PDB file of all heavy atoms in Angstrom:
ATOM      1  N   TYR A1081      -1.364  22.399   8.999  1.00  0.00           N
ATOM      2  CA  TYR A1081      -2.539  21.774   9.601  1.00  0.00           C
ATOM      3  C   TYR A1081      -2.942  22.503  10.886  1.00  0.00           C
ATOM      4  O   TYR A1081      -2.084  22.925  11.655  1.00  0.00           O
ATOM      5  CB  TYR A1081      -2.274  20.312   9.942  1.00  0.00           C
ATOM      6  CG  TYR A1081      -2.160  19.438   8.722  1.00  0.00           C
ATOM      7  CD1 TYR A1081      -0.922  19.077   8.216  1.00  0.00           C
ATOM      8  CD2 TYR A1081      -3.294  18.976   8.068  1.00  0.00           C
ATOM      9  CE1 TYR A1081      -0.807  18.282   7.089  1.00  0.00           C
ATOM     10  CE2 TYR A1081      -3.195  18.171   6.941  1.00  0.00           C
ATOM     11  CZ  TYR A1081      -1.946  17.830   6.454  1.00  0.00           C
ATOM     12  OH  TYR A1081      -1.851  17.054   5.340  1.00  0.00           O
ATOM     13  N   VAL A1082      -4.240  22.652  11.091  1.00  0.00           N
ATOM     14  CA  VAL A1082      -4.792  23.164  12.340  1.00  0.00           C
ATOM     15  C   VAL A1082      -5.850  22.164  12.805  1.00  0.00           C
ATOM     16  O   VAL A1082      -6.273  21.300  12.046  1.00  0.00           O
ATOM     17  CB  VAL A1082      -5.400  24.580  12.183  1.00  0.00           C
ATOM     18  CG1 VAL A1082      -4.335  25.586  11.786  1.00  0.00           C
ATOM     19  CG2 VAL A1082      -6.543  24.600  11.197  1.00  0.00           C
ATOM     20  N   SER A1083      -6.275  22.295  14.037  1.00  0.00           N
ATOM     21  CA  SER A1083      -7.214  21.319  14.603  1.00  0.00           C
ATOM     22  C   SER A1083      -8.593  21.416  13.963  1.00  0.00           C
ATOM     23  O   SER A1083      -8.995  22.462  13.446  1.00  0.00           O
ATOM     24  CB  SER A1083      -7.335  21.501  16.112  1.00  0.00           C
ATOM     25  OG  SER A1083      -8.114  22.654  16.386  1.00  0.00           O
ATOM     26  N   MET A1084      -9.294  20.333  14.023  1.00  0.00           N
ATOM     27  CA  MET A1084     -10.662  20.275  13.498  1.00  0.00           C
ATOM     28  C   MET A1084     -11.548  21.246  14.276  1.00  0.00           C
ATOM     29  O   MET A1084     -12.438  21.870  13.692  1.00  0.00           O
ATOM     30  CB  MET A1084     -11.209  18.849  13.624  1.00  0.00           C
ATOM     31  CG  MET A1084     -12.574  18.676  13.039  1.00  0.00           C
ATOM     32  SD  MET A1084     -12.626  18.856  11.256  1.00  0.00           S
ATOM     33  CE  MET A1084     -11.880  17.341  10.754  1.00  0.00           C
ATOM     34  N   ASP A1085     -11.296  21.416  15.555  1.00  0.00           N
ATOM     35  CA  ASP A1085     -12.045  22.367  16.372  1.00  0.00           C
ATOM     36  C   ASP A1085     -11.973  23.773  15.793  1.00  0.00           C
ATOM     37  O   ASP A1085     -12.980  24.465  15.719  1.00  0.00           O
ATOM     38  CB  ASP A1085     -11.525  22.344  17.812  1.00  0.00           C
ATOM     39  CG  ASP A1085     -12.208  23.389  18.682  1.00  0.00           C
ATOM     40  OD1 ASP A1085     -13.443  23.288  18.867  1.00  0.00           O
ATOM     41  OD2 ASP A1085     -11.514  24.318  19.148  1.00  0.00           O
ATOM     42  N   VAL A1086     -10.805  24.176  15.365  1.00  0.00           N
ATOM     43  CA  VAL A1086     -10.624  25.508  14.782  1.00  0.00           C
ATOM     44  C   VAL A1086     -11.440  25.629  13.488  1.00  0.00           C
ATOM     45  O   VAL A1086     -12.141  26.613  13.279  1.00  0.00           O
ATOM     46  CB  VAL A1086      -9.129  25.790  14.494  1.00  0.00           C
ATOM     47  CG1 VAL A1086      -8.940  27.013  13.624  1.00  0.00           C
ATOM     48  CG2 VAL A1086      -8.366  25.953  15.801  1.00  0.00           C
ATOM     49  N   LEU A1087     -11.360  24.618  12.652  1.00  0.00           N
ATOM     50  CA  LEU A1087     -12.095  24.637  11.390  1.00  0.00           C
ATOM     51  C   LEU A1087     -13.613  24.703  11.620  1.00  0.00           C
ATOM     52  O   LEU A1087     -14.320  25.430  10.934  1.00  0.00           O
ATOM     53  CB  LEU A1087     -11.730  23.426  10.535  1.00  0.00           C
ATOM     54  CG  LEU A1087     -10.253  23.335  10.126  1.00  0.00           C
ATOM     55  CD1 LEU A1087     -10.009  22.050   9.349  1.00  0.00           C
ATOM     56  CD2 LEU A1087      -9.802  24.555   9.350  1.00  0.00           C
ATOM     57  N   VAL A1088     -14.077  23.960  12.618  1.00  0.00           N
ATOM     58  CA  VAL A1088     -15.510  23.963  12.945  1.00  0.00           C
ATOM     59  C   VAL A1088     -15.927  25.343  13.446  1.00  0.00           C
ATOM     60  O   VAL A1088     -16.966  25.878  13.032  1.00  0.00           O
ATOM     61  CB  VAL A1088     -15.851  22.870  13.971  1.00  0.00           C
ATOM     62  CG1 VAL A1088     -17.258  23.041  14.524  1.00  0.00           C
ATOM     63  CG2 VAL A1088     -15.683  21.487  13.339  1.00  0.00           C
ATOM     64  N   ARG A1089     -15.127  25.951  14.294  1.00  0.00           N
ATOM     65  CA  ARG A1089     -15.462  27.288  14.804  1.00  0.00           C
ATOM     66  C   ARG A1089     -15.530  28.320  13.671  1.00  0.00           C
ATOM     67  O   ARG A1089     -16.399  29.193  13.659  1.00  0.00           O
ATOM     68  CB  ARG A1089     -14.462  27.739  15.856  1.00  0.00           C
ATOM     69  CG  ARG A1089     -14.716  27.056  17.198  1.00  0.00           C
ATOM     70  CD  ARG A1089     -13.915  27.698  18.292  1.00  0.00           C
ATOM     71  NE  ARG A1089     -12.588  27.104  18.295  1.00  0.00           N
ATOM     72  CZ  ARG A1089     -11.527  27.623  18.911  1.00  0.00           C
ATOM     73  NH1 ARG A1089     -11.624  28.769  19.534  1.00  0.00           N
ATOM     74  NH2 ARG A1089     -10.368  27.008  18.884  1.00  0.00           N
ATOM     75  N   ILE A1090     -14.611  28.193  12.712  1.00  0.00           N
ATOM     76  CA  ILE A1090     -14.631  29.094  11.557  1.00  0.00           C
ATOM     77  C   ILE A1090     -15.888  28.882  10.733  1.00  0.00           C
ATOM     78  O   ILE A1090     -16.552  29.835  10.337  1.00  0.00           O
ATOM     79  CB  ILE A1090     -13.351  28.921  10.696  1.00  0.00           C
ATOM     80  CG1 ILE A1090     -12.133  29.415  11.491  1.00  0.00           C
ATOM     81  CG2 ILE A1090     -13.490  29.653   9.369  1.00  0.00           C
ATOM     82  CD1 ILE A1090     -10.795  29.083  10.833  1.00  0.00           C
ATOM     83  N   CYS A1091     -16.227  27.620  10.489  1.00  0.00           N
ATOM     84  CA  CYS A1091     -17.436  27.321   9.715  1.00  0.00           C
ATOM     85  C   CYS A1091     -18.690  27.874  10.388  1.00  0.00           C
ATOM     86  O   CYS A1091     -19.564  28.428   9.718  1.00  0.00           O
ATOM     87  CB  CYS A1091     -17.578  25.812   9.504  1.00  0.00           C
ATOM     88  SG  CYS A1091     -16.409  25.132   8.327  1.00  0.00           S
ATOM     89  N   ILE A1092     -18.774  27.736  11.697  1.00  0.00           N
ATOM     90  CA  ILE A1092     -19.935  28.253  12.431  1.00  0.00           C
ATOM     91  C   ILE A1092     -19.970  29.787  12.332  1.00  0.00           C
ATOM     92  O   ILE A1092     -21.021  30.372  12.045  1.00  0.00           O
ATOM     93  CB  ILE A1092     -19.907  27.781  13.897  1.00  0.00           C
ATOM     94  CG1 ILE A1092     -20.185  26.276  13.947  1.00  0.00           C
ATOM     95  CG2 ILE A1092     -20.913  28.552  14.738  1.00  0.00           C
ATOM     96  CD1 ILE A1092     -19.922  25.635  15.301  1.00  0.00           C
ATOM     97  N   ALA A1093     -18.832  30.428  12.543  1.00  0.00           N
ATOM     98  CA  ALA A1093     -18.779  31.890  12.526  1.00  0.00           C
ATOM     99  C   ALA A1093     -19.106  32.458  11.147  1.00  0.00           C
ATOM    100  O   ALA A1093     -19.735  33.519  11.036  1.00  0.00           O
ATOM    101  CB  ALA A1093     -17.410  32.368  12.982  1.00  0.00           C
ATOM    102  N   LEU A1094     -18.689  31.753  10.082  1.00  0.00           N
ATOM    103  CA  LEU A1094     -18.889  32.258   8.727  1.00  0.00           C
ATOM    104  C   LEU A1094     -20.106  31.642   8.042  1.00  0.00           C
ATOM    105  O   LEU A1094     -20.386  31.951   6.893  1.00  0.00           O
ATOM    106  CB  LEU A1094     -17.633  32.016   7.875  1.00  0.00           C
ATOM    107  CG  LEU A1094     -16.350  32.688   8.356  1.00  0.00           C
ATOM    108  CD1 LEU A1094     -15.203  32.343   7.432  1.00  0.00           C
ATOM    109  CD2 LEU A1094     -16.543  34.205   8.457  1.00  0.00           C
TER     110      LEU A1094
END
Side-chain angles (χ1 to χ4, degrees):
Y1081 290 99
V1082 297
S1083 75
M1084 184 67 74
D1085 176 62
V1086 168
L1087 299 177
V1088 168
R1089 283 191 275 164
I1090 291 171
C1091 287
I1092 290 169
L1094 299 179

